[in-house]
Amino acid sequence: MTFATAYLEIEKEDAHEHIMESVEGLRSKTVDDSIEYRNASGMLLAILSETDDVSGANTKLRYQISVIAPFLAHGRVKAEEIRAAVDEYRVEG
């Protein structure tokens, strides 16, 4: 799997709430200081974490953009839904 990164101006907890309200069928789990998003079958779709790497960004979202097999393509679609849920808060990285 390949992941892309989006930097967000909102806080991690606010981004998490927005994602969970906007995207159906997600499971989330806190791992260390990050939040992992998985589909019902357990596929990792995205990871949300705090960042200070980019000016104006409080949060970093890493989301799936490609998969290793065609039968896993639904994961990429769901990851795009996660990104779209917080796209309005995106800042250039």
Side-chain angles (χ1 to χ4, degrees):
M1 286 184 243
T2 304
F3 288 79
T5 302
Y7 293 96
L8 310 171
E9 63 187 0
I10 64 174
E11 299 295 326
K12 181 176 73 174
E13 293 77 18
D14 294 333
H16 172 64
E17 185 176 316
H18 206 68
I19 290 167
M20 294 306 289
E21 289 174 355
S22 302
V23 183
E24 292 183 21
L26 288 182
R27 295 188 333 205
S28 66
K29 176 180 168 185
T30 301
V31 178
D32 296 323
D33 291 330
S34 299
I35 301 170
E36 292 183 351
Y37 298 96
R38 295 179 182 270
N39 64 11
S41 64
M43 178 189 297
L44 180 62
L45 304 172
I47 302 167
L48 186 67
S49 59
E50 294 177 357
T51 188
D52 56 5
D53 295 341
V54 175
S55 178
N58 295 311
T59 307
K60 174 173 62 174
L61 177 68
R62 294 188 64 236
Y63 60 98
Q64 185 187 125
I65 59 171
S66 68
V67 294
I68 55 175
F71 68 90
L72 298 174
H74 65 281
R76 182 177 44 82
V77 172
K78 189 58 81 173
E80 280 295 320
E81 289 180 35
I82 294 169
R83 186 213 34 89
V86 292
D87 212 30
E88 66 185 284
Y89 305 105
R90 197 170 185 167
V91 296
E92 293 302 314

